[in-house]
Amino acid sequence: MTTTDSAEKAELLARGAVEARLAACAQVSAPVVSVYHWQNAIESSQEWQVLFKTTPECYPALEAHLTAAHDYDTPEVIAFPVVRASAAYTAWARAETAAP
């Protein structure tokens, strides 16, 4: 998952990862408000979340892609463990991604 400061940037990040087959799917969520420490101050900003559906094998390349494509100095790039997923969905995600 990552966040960015506009819907357009979020869609570009999503589309780039899917086109590169580093994610089978990417979902852009409506804006959220983020509150965080940055350069010795508490900041608040509107951001769009992008959730990427990928495999453990593709994660390193997806992280590298997002870090290079993102315009934030320190972009949020995090992964959540999947405890369970349907066999059909897992097979689809594996078929639609390709680790470099």
Side-chain angles (χ1 to χ4, degrees):
M1 184 176 80
T2 194
T3 57
T4 191
D5 61 2
S6 76
E8 295 78 19
K9 290 178 186 177
E11 188 169 342
L12 285 173
L13 290 170
R15 185 170 297 279
V18 173
E19 286 176 351
R21 294 212 174 263
L22 300 175
C25 173
Q27 295 173 316
V28 177
S29 296
V32 298
V33 174
S34 295
V35 179
Y36 51 94
H37 282 277
W38 185 250
Q39 299 178 345
N40 298 318
I42 296 177
E43 301 288 338
S44 178
S45 63
Q46 189 176 58
E47 295 184 297
W48 281 254
Q49 291 180 326
V50 187
L51 181 63
F52 299 90
K53 313 297 181 66
T54 193
T55 63
E57 297 79 16
C58 287
Y59 178 81
L62 176 60
E63 181 180 328
H65 172 81
L66 293 174
T67 301
H70 211 295
D71 65 341
Y72 283 13
D73 292 338
T74 308
E76 172 188 12
V77 181
I78 58 175
F80 300 101
V82 175
V83 176
R84 289 195 171 161
S86 72
Y89 190 86
T90 301
W92 171 80
R94 289 194 180 283
E96 298 302 325
T97 57

